[in-house]
Structure formats: C-alpha cells, structure tokens
Amino acid sequence: MNFDGLVGPTHNYAGLSHGNVASRTHGGQPSRPREAALQGLSKMAHVRDLGLPQGILPPHARPRLDVLRALGFLGDDAEVLRAVADAAPHLLAAVSSASPMWTANAATVSASADTLDGRVHFTPANLASTFHRSLEPEHTGRALRRIFPGEVFVHHDPLPGMGAFGDEGAANHTRFVARRGGLELHVFGRSAFGGGPAPTRYPARQTREASEALVRRHGVRSAVLIQQATAAIDAGVFHNDVISVGSGDHFLVHERAFEAEDALARVRQAFDALGGELQVFVVRDRDLSVAEAVTTYLFNSQLLSTPGGWVLVAPMECAEDPRARAVTEAMVAEGFVARVETLDLRQSMHNGGGPACLRLRVPLTDAERAEVHEGCVFTPEREAALRAWVTEHYREELRPADLADPALTDEVRTALDELTQLLSLGSDFYPFQR
Ligand code: SUG
C-alpha cells in the first residue's frame, strides 16, 4: 500500500537542502501551496485508479513555534514570528517547511514476511542531516502509531539523532520479492566509524551504521547493504531514490549508482539465493548522465506492478526531456514495463521531491491491511472531501515574507483541526490541539 504525504499549507521554497539541486535552485521563489496539494492528490488518485491500494499521511503542524521558543524567541505567537523574521529568517523558513510531504523519508518499513518475528516493523527516520527535517520524526512516529495500531505492527523509536546514525528512511531502502521471500536493499552514503570513501562536496545523509541498525532491530532475514557512489552524491543524488528504483523482481538503476563495481552482482546473487531472477534495466551514462538523472528525476518514479502489467509513473519532466523520454521508450520496447505515465508534480519537484519521494510503501498482508486506520485510506469520497478542504484552506501563493504572517499560523491550525475530523484522527493528533 502506498501512503502519500498530503502537502501541507505552508509548502514553500526556502533553499534549505544543501546537496539537493532543485531545493537550492528554487529557494526564495514564490510557491503555490494549493496547486501543490492538488497535484499530490491527483497522483494518489492516479495510482489508486491503476488498481493499487492508496493511503494518506497527514501534514505536520507548521510553523513550529515551540522550536522557536526553545531557541529563545519569546512572546506571544505574533511576537515570536516578528522576532525570528527580523533576526533569523532562515530559522523561520526551517520551522515552516512542509517537508513531511516527502514520506519516502518518513520511515523504513519491513514486511512481516521478511522479519524474524513475523510482524511489520517501522522506524521513523531521524533525518538528522538537515535542521528542518530533523523536526519530523517525533510527529511521524505518533502518526504511524495511530494509523498502524495493534499487535501486528511494531513501532521503534528513531535511531539516535546525530550524523553518525543519519537515517533518511525508505528513500534508501528497496524491497525485492523472490519466490522464497523478500530481500531488503539498503543503500548508504558513508561509514561513520569505519572510514572508506565519502563524498566531498555534498553530505552523505545515510550512514552504514544507520542501515545496519535498521536491519538488526527489524530482524530482517535477508538484506544487502551497498554504498552509494560518492560521485553521484556530489552530483546531487542526495538519496538513492534519485538514481534507482526497485519493486518486486524489477530494478531500474543507473550504471553509476553504486560505489563498488560488483554492487549490482551482489544484489542479483542475494536475489538468486531466494529463488528469484532479478529483472534489471541498467541506464547507461551515455544515454542519461547522472546530472540528467538529477534534473529529470527519471529514477524517482514509481515502479508499479498493476493488474494491467508493470507501469512506471514518472514526473512530466521525463516526457519533456528527449533523452529521458528515449530511455523510457527503450524500457517499454524491451518489455521492462508495459507503460510509462507522466504526471505534473512540479510544485514538489521544485523542492527535489518527485513521485517516489511523495510515497511510503507499506507491504501488508490482507489481514494487516484490515488493521490500517480506515480514515487514512484514499477512497474516491475522501479524495473529493480533501480537494474541497484544500481549495477552501490553502493559499494560492506563498512568498518567503508571508511565513512571518501570524494569520498563516491561524489558517494552518483551522485547516489541520478540520483535517483530523476528515481523517478521523481524533482531536488530540496535533500538538496545538492538546
Ligand atoms: O530532504 N527537500 C527534500 C526533498 C526530499 C526528497 N525525498 C526523496 N528523495 N525521497 C529534502 O531535501 C527542500 C525544502 C526547501 O528547500 O524549502 C527539501 O527539504
């Protein structure tokens, strides 16, 4: 089941993510929150209409005035906002970010079929490498506990929130499925304690130590850990899902995705051992360079096994770019996928978030699916209600200076309070409600 992040009402472009080219390029530009949220809802509808179960993860409450107060900005809400806007507008932007929309970074989820205790394991990502994203794990954990209640789900705390255990969740995690079970692929950017290659220009957000800890605490039976190519990170591939995507027995990967030459062979071998044969589509650098992968976000597509065959749901930038389009045509010609469909997600894309960033995959049996909080299932009725809700409450445009407007805080609270009713999340879901 895919759980997409509902874009929050403070969606804006603040240039907060070093190493994320799109975020840096669009920082300071006006954003369009209503359009962003509607684009996200359209994607959810698209995937649901392909025949796949679709869920919603609600936005977090922003701005985080509690964080600003902890940083020493005092007074009532309006005074705090004025003080931070004057003294440190970058901090106001950080506590206002709608970044929880990228739910591929919400958590790492292991399927019950793959774990020693036969339960589904969740670890919220600590997102320790950026300040604005490090504000997410606490509320993410709360949301996951509410949406996935009961004995079949195990909820771990985030890993220690510091660089050595930097964890960015499912964006660096892929689950393949072979005849005799699942195989987890974990991709890290550097070793914190062990030395070895590391990027020099941009940060490696996921460490080997974090990936190892996830495999250990989830009790994952079959896992492969691989280092991402440091040169790719330095070219703007800040998560593995910007350079590869896998699902079932399908793997779409750039030839320069990984540091070691035998990396792909190791994945194949591990998959073979589980009785499968991996269907790999390798994109050559001469056909699409790593830099082009970053601008088109081809690999940040959703690779979906649907009742009508394999479908790649890609951002529309891949249809507009002739070289990316040629690669997608080759995928179809060679039978890797039956179809490629492209969607307009430009509002999120301008912050470096494509189709795959916006969704968290949660592998569930039918019995586990029955335990999921029904309020967060994306039915056509709920879609209609959410479209009306977004249209009523979201601003059309948001500029950096608008983040200091106390009216925005009130609008967000009104909107989110109503959302908790729409999604039956209870009246104590958000901190401002408690
Ligand atoms: O963490 N952008 C996000 C994009 C996350 C994409 N997720 C995956 N690849 N799975 C990030 O860099 C930018 C926010 C700003 O600049 O306003 C931001 O946080």
Side-chain angles (χ1 to χ4, degrees), residues 15 35 48 92 120 134 136 139 146 159-160 237 251 264-265 272 274 315 338-339 348 359 383 398-400 410 434:
E35 192 178 325
R48 180 198 61 210
L92 175 58
V120 184
S134 73
E136 298 177 37
H139 187 74
R146 190 145 304 182
L159 294 172
V237 181
F251 195 26
L264 192 53
D272 281 359
L274 292 168
R339 287 196 314 283
S348 169
R359 60 93 176 97
E383 178 192 348
L398 210 52
R399 291 170 179 274
D410 293 339
R434 296 200 282 275

Side-chain angles (χ1 to χ4, degrees), residues 375-414:
C376 286
V377 178
F378 192 64
T379 59
E381 297 71 37
R382 205 156 278 121
E383 178 192 348
L386 287 169
R387 281 186 189 282
W389 172 79
V390 166
T391 308
E392 182 184 343
H393 293 286
Y394 281 46
R395 291 193 184 186
E396 209 166 330
E397 190 181 273
L398 210 52
R399 291 170 179 274
D402 297 333
L403 299 177
D405 179 2
L408 181 65
T409 304
D410 293 339
E411 287 163 31
V412 171
R413 287 182 181 160
T414 304

Side-chain angles (χ1 to χ4, degrees), residues 12-17 20 23 97 99 102 104-105 132-133 171 205 238-239 241-242 300 351-353 357:
N12 75 95
Y13 300 122
L16 298 173
S17 285
N20 170 344
S23 151
S97 178
S99 56
W102 300 296
N105 307 115
H132 69 295
R133 302 216 65 182
R205 298 195 195 184
F238 58 99
H239 289 136
D241 68 5
V242 177
N300 203 258
N351 253 337
C357 298

Side-chain angles (χ1 to χ4, degrees), residues 133-366:
R133 302 216 65 182
S134 73
L135 306 177
E136 298 177 37
E138 189 187 342
H139 187 74
T140 295
R142 187 178 183 87
L144 292 174
R145 283 185 158 90
R146 190 145 304 182
I147 297 167
F148 303 94
E151 287 296 293
V152 293
F153 303 114
V154 183
H155 294 280
H156 300 268
D157 287 335
L159 294 172
M162 39 90 70
F165 291 98
D167 173 22
E168 300 272 320
N172 297 313
H173 173 234
T174 304
R175 178 183 188 237
F176 297 111
V177 187
R179 257 201 316 282
R180 287 196 296 277
L183 172 69
E184 289 199 357
L185 168 64
H186 291 258
V187 180
F188 58 90
R190 71 178 172 104
S191 296
F193 302 113
T200 52
R201 185 171 178 218
Y202 291 142
R205 298 195 195 184
Q206 183 90 24
T207 65
R208 170 194 279 272
E209 288 76 4
S211 298
E212 284 170 348
L214 292 168
V215 169
R216 208 163 31 229
R217 56 160 45 177
H218 288 193
V220 177
R221 273 196 294 258
S222 302
V224 183
L225 267 73
I226 280 182
Q227 181 164 15
Q228 200 181 341
T230 54
I233 297 175
D234 281 337
V237 181
F238 58 99
H239 289 136
N240 175 60
D241 68 5
V242 177
I243 196 130
S244 82
V245 56
S247 174
D249 65 352
H250 271 49
F251 195 26
L252 169 65
V253 58
H254 193 278
E255 67 173 329
R256 305 225 170 133
F258 304 125
E259 185 72 14
E261 273 187 16
D262 66 347
L264 192 53
R266 282 181 52 213
V267 181
R268 279 188 198 275
Q269 249 167 31
F271 197 69
D272 281 359
L274 292 168
E277 195 188 328
L278 203 59
Q279 310 296 308
V280 186
F281 191 96
V282 179
V283 176
R284 301 286 164 204
D285 200 61
R286 60 168 185 269
D287 295 325
L288 196 77
S289 68
V290 174
E292 289 169 318
V294 171
T295 49
T296 62
Y297 256 42
L298 171 67
F299 297 90
N300 203 258
S301 299
Q302 285 182 262
L303 185 52
L304 301 168
S305 171
T306 77
W310 283 92
V311 177
L312 190 80
V313 174
M316 67 188 274
E317 284 74 0
C318 295
E320 292 166 354
D321 180 277
R323 280 162 56 82
R325 194 173 61 236
V327 172
T328 62
E329 285 164 359
M331 276 182 228
V332 176
E334 291 176 29
F336 180 71
V337 291
R339 287 196 314 283
V340 176
E341 296 171 354
T342 56
L343 298 179
D344 180 1
L345 291 165
R346 244 196 255 288
Q347 282 293 314
S348 169
M349 284 283 286
H350 284 178
N351 253 337
C357 298
L358 285 161
R359 60 93 176 97
L360 178 68
R361 293 176 288 190
V362 183
L364 299 167
T365 63
D366 289 343

Side-chain angles (χ1 to χ4, degrees), residues 36-191:
L38 294 174
Q39 286 175 351
L41 290 171
S42 295
K43 175 168 93 75
M44 297 183 215
H46 191 91
V47 171
R48 180 198 61 210
D49 294 344
L50 285 170
L52 298 169
Q54 179 69 47
I56 310 153
L57 292 179
H60 294 197
R62 295 287 183 273
R64 286 285 299 271
L65 293 167
D66 61 318
V67 173
L68 294 177
R69 290 198 167 93
L71 295 177
F73 297 101
L74 303 178
D76 63 22
D77 290 358
E79 285 165 346
V80 167
L81 288 167
R82 203 174 314 121
V84 70
D86 284 347
H90 57 286
L91 292 181
L92 175 58
V95 302
S96 301
S97 178
S99 56
M101 71 169 87
W102 300 296
T103 54
N105 307 115
T108 303
V109 187
S110 295
S112 57
D114 303 346
T115 58
L116 292 171
D117 66 358
R119 299 199 286 164
V120 184
H121 287 248
F122 294 83
T123 294
N126 61 28
L127 296 166
S129 56
T130 51
F131 172 55
H132 69 295
R133 302 216 65 182
S134 73
L135 306 177
E136 298 177 37
E138 189 187 342
H139 187 74
T140 295
R142 187 178 183 87
L144 292 174
R145 283 185 158 90
R146 190 145 304 182
I147 297 167
F148 303 94
E151 287 296 293
V152 293
F153 303 114
V154 183
H155 294 280
H156 300 268
D157 287 335
L159 294 172
M162 39 90 70
F165 291 98
D167 173 22
E168 300 272 320
N172 297 313
H173 173 234
T174 304
R175 178 183 188 237
F176 297 111
V177 187
R179 257 201 316 282
R180 287 196 296 277
L183 172 69
E184 289 199 357
L185 168 64
H186 291 258
V187 180
F188 58 90
R190 71 178 172 104
S191 296

